[in-house]
Amino acid sequence: MAENKKKFSLMSAILSVICVVFVAEAAAPVAAIGNSQFFWWIFLLVAFLLPYGLMSSELGTTYIGDGGIYDWVTKAFGHRWGSRVSWYYWINYPLWLASLAVVCPGLLTTITGIEFPTIAAIVIELVFIWVIVWISFYPVADSVWILNGAAVIKMLLAILIGALGLYTFATKGAANEFTLNSMLPSFNLDSLSFISVIIFNLLGFEVICTFADDMENPKKQIPQAIIVGGLVIAAIYIFSAFGIGVAIPTDQISTGSGLMDSFKLLTGSTGGWFIISMAFLFLLTLFGNMISWSLGVNNTACYAAENGDMPKIFAKRGGKDEMPIGAAIMNGVVASIVVVIAPILPNQDLFWAFFSLNLVMFLMSYVPVFPAFYKLRQIDPDTPRPFRVGGSDGFLKVLVALPMIMIIISLIFTALPLQFDPASLSEQLPITIGAVVFTLFGEAIIHVKKIKKEGVIYHGEENRKNNTETRRV
């Protein structure tokens, strides 16, 4: 039976990396940084993506299984930290799912020309959410055509927006000034708060590690897919960012609709077959994003629950392939609650509000991953490492410190209010409060699961004592 199971080819693995890591809808928030984004892209590709990709390749090929980053952190620092990581890693997903769901009605309006009232928009959002949940009930290999298709469409959109930007720049000029001085790093708070999106855009390589059972040769395919996919992703991100920067003045870029706004401005059209086609393709990429990430996130949450570090509902499996349906259903429940209550929230940029909160929780899940890489080298040196990062101990410490420091700095600028005028506070405080609430919820889970574990141990000890006394009698 196992021999007949569909397997990933190397090309499918590379396309899956592109589908997972390249997030088309995040290109607009990054473009909102301005021309200094190009400096940050190059800097973070070297200082963040390179060390992160190397460590993910080693950890992913050394500890192959469903656990992903939860497994790595648990092996290094124990179940308490493993529980935290699995919770942060999971909760970001339904928040991200909600942020993309609220984009769907606008895309359908572009496609159909129909303006949807609030109730109809919520129904559309709920349909998007539960279609994703339904697809995630099936193995990744069954959805490989969706992942491959989404990856190709994402690259097509990025190349088109970049090519249109290049043509417009050559024939009409750009909406923003492209000079060497304008491309130097900007350190104002608005720009720095978006840098976390670039880091978000470079995360996700570990998801491919959870697909190991579906690969022909994971120990070779994982590092190959990460290296090739990473290079392709870097190129298309920078090219698409250039196109958006040519089309829209930086201070007018919408975080939710910037990509489609760019297509409209670059073509001088708000409708027609091209714009409708781009909106439809963009909508398809949203499905691809969520499907590719659900397979990794659900496996990690289920694996953690099976090890007693997440609530039991996440351990529920179903179907002939024993898929993690409990985690998938909880994704749908949380995302549905978020989109239903969204219309009563004061923040009008719902995409950025939900996306920012997802960013904070997601980045928090990675903080322990980098020191876990170093710790496992120290405490588990004898485990064979098919792909091993070379270098001295000092080099490894620098490799670990660089991405970890950048994530912590990004968290500060994204999660904490650093400007205290009423407008900034009204935009930032919901994100801060949401991050605190979800963090405390995770700590409550750790506390409850710890009590239950102690109870099991205690009762087991009592039973052993009783059995011993019975035998003596």
Side-chain angles (χ1 to χ4, degrees), residues 52-291:
Y52 164 59
L54 289 171
M55 286 185 276
S56 295
S57 294
E58 178 172 319
L59 290 169
T61 52
T62 303
Y63 306 101
I64 291 177
D66 291 338
I69 65 173
Y70 159 79
D71 217 8
W72 307 341
V73 172
T74 303
K75 288 179 187 295
F77 302 118
H79 284 272
R80 181 176 291 271
W81 274 105
S83 182
R84 286 191 182 98
V85 165
S86 60
W87 169 253
Y88 301 153
Y89 194 64
W90 174 77
I91 192 62
N92 99 87
Y93 178 82
L95 294 171
W96 185 19
L97 183 56
S99 75
L100 298 194
V102 300
V103 173
C104 288
L107 288 173
L108 287 177
T109 295
T110 300
I111 294 169
T112 64
I114 300 171
E115 290 285 344
F116 297 100
T118 300
I119 298 299
I122 291 174
V123 171
I124 291 169
E125 292 161 10
L126 292 173
V127 169
F128 173 80
I129 288 167
W130 287 99
V131 167
I132 298 295
V133 171
W134 173 68
I135 294 174
S136 65
F137 287 165
Y138 298 92
V140 63
D142 291 348
S143 306
V144 68
W145 63 275
I146 298 177
L147 306 187
N148 290 353
V152 171
I153 292 170
K154 286 181 183 185
M155 288 189 287
L156 176 64
L157 289 172
I159 291 168
L160 280 174
I161 200 75
L164 285 170
L166 200 61
Y167 174 78
T168 302
F169 183 75
T171 57
K172 301 177 183 178
N176 297 291
E177 184 183 17
F178 281 83
T179 63
L180 180 61
N181 189 56
S182 72
M183 294 184 188
L184 294 176
S186 173
F187 294 101
N188 64 70
L189 292 177
D190 287 336
S191 295
L192 290 172
S193 66
F194 285 110
I195 291 174
S196 59
V197 185
I198 297 182
I199 292 179
F200 171 83
N201 287 346
L202 298 175
L203 290 171
F205 287 133
E206 77 289 338
V207 173
I208 197 70
C209 301
T210 67
F211 300 167
D213 289 342
D214 295 295
M215 293 182 179
E216 293 169 354
N217 190 344
K219 292 185 177 181
K220 285 187 177 179
Q221 287 177 325
I222 287 174
Q224 289 171 338
I226 287 175
I227 292 167
V228 176
L231 292 173
V232 172
I233 288 162
I236 58 181
Y237 263 134
I238 293 173
F239 195 47
S240 62
F242 168 78
I244 296 174
V246 168
I248 310 175
T250 299
D251 59 356
Q252 296 177 26
I253 293 175
S254 164
T255 54
S257 60
L259 186 68
M260 288 307 304
D261 291 345
S262 299
F263 275 121
K264 292 173 183 177
L265 288 169
L266 289 170
T267 58
S269 172
T270 58
W273 69 268
F274 181 78
I275 296 300
I276 291 173
S277 299
M278 294 303 99
F280 178 70
L281 291 176
F282 186 43
L283 182 62
L284 291 181
T285 69
L286 303 187
F287 280 96
N289 279 349
M290 292 293 93
I291 292 165

